Amino acid sequence: DVPAADERAVALVLVKLAQRELVRILHPRVVRPITLGRATVPPDVISAVMAFMLIYGGVMVGLTMAMLATGLDVVTSFTAVVGSLNNIGPGMGKVGPSGNFGGLTNVQIWVCTLAMLLGRLELLSVLVLFTPQFWRRYVHARLHSLRDVAPPPQRATTGRRLHRTCRAPTRL
């Protein structure tokens, strides 16, 4: 889970970024760095915050569309996904305070379960599991770790041929 201070810092960076863009519309040549306290926020941190928010919004929209495709209304679909993704409990509509998730179909519950897992296990950490680069890197590292382990000794072959692990010909 992200500590509350980090969540506030992300929100503050987003607010300051919005303010900077509004000023940039009025004054296109102004250079206005984003600061937290007295420290300037590096551009790579700003990019990371923006990328996270874009992915978060895309996942929320995608899961809401999946819920809408199952026949739920917009309010119930959106608030069920928001409640599950953020682990905050009930939403509105059929999953509101006077209702619960028990009235949802199996597919709808699976979508909410996926949203809950994405929110609980950190969104980017779970989504990286679905990238080919992760699996290529994982398999490559696993193969190298297996090569580092010495292979078990092999039996010598019959006849006069030398086996790689033997020094002299052996007969069985």
Side-chain angles (χ1 to χ4, degrees):
D1 290 282
V2 178
D6 289 346
E7 290 175 357
R8 285 191 297 265
V10 167
L12 192 57
V13 166
L14 288 174
V15 167
K16 289 191 175 211
L17 183 63
Q19 287 174 343
R20 181 179 79 175
E21 294 306 315
L22 289 173
V23 169
R24 196 179 279 177
I25 290 171
L26 296 172
H27 308 286
R29 295 183 186 178
V30 73
V31 176
R32 185 175 179 202
I34 295 176
T35 58
L36 288 177
R38 294 182 181 170
T40 301
V41 178
D44 58 331
V45 172
I46 295 170
S47 296
V49 167
M50 293 301 294
F52 176 79
M53 293 307 296
L54 179 68
I55 292 169
Y56 180 82
V59 166
M60 189 174 301
V61 167
L63 291 174
T64 300
M65 291 298 157
M67 292 289 275
L68 285 170
T70 63
L72 276 180
D73 61 293
V74 175
V75 172
T76 303
S77 297
F78 181 71
T79 58
V81 169
V82 169
S84 298
L85 189 60
N86 296 315
N87 298 300
I88 57 173
M92 296 183 336
K94 293 181 183 175
V95 293
S98 61
N100 59 28
F101 288 81
L104 300 179
T105 66
N106 287 339
V107 173
Q108 294 164 346
I109 290 175
W110 276 105
V111 172
C112 289
T113 302
L114 175 64
M116 188 170 39
L117 286 172
L118 286 172
R120 201 68 185 143
L121 298 176
E122 293 298 325
L123 184 68
L124 296 177
S125 302
V126 174
L127 291 179
V128 85
L129 294 174
F130 297 105
T131 62
Q133 295 88 357
F134 171 79
W135 291 106
R136 271 190 238 123
R137 190 168 161 198
Y138 173 77
V139 170
H140 184 68
R142 183 76 177 134
L143 288 176
H144 278 298
S145 68
L146 291 176
R147 284 186 204 150
D148 294 340
V149 177
Q154 300 192 4
R155 279 184 54 195
T157 59
T158 58
R160 293 208 161 257
R161 292 185 305 169
L162 286 175
H163 193 271
R164 289 184 208 159
T165 58
C166 299
R167 295 184 182 198
T170 59
R171 288 187 181 215
L172 293 179

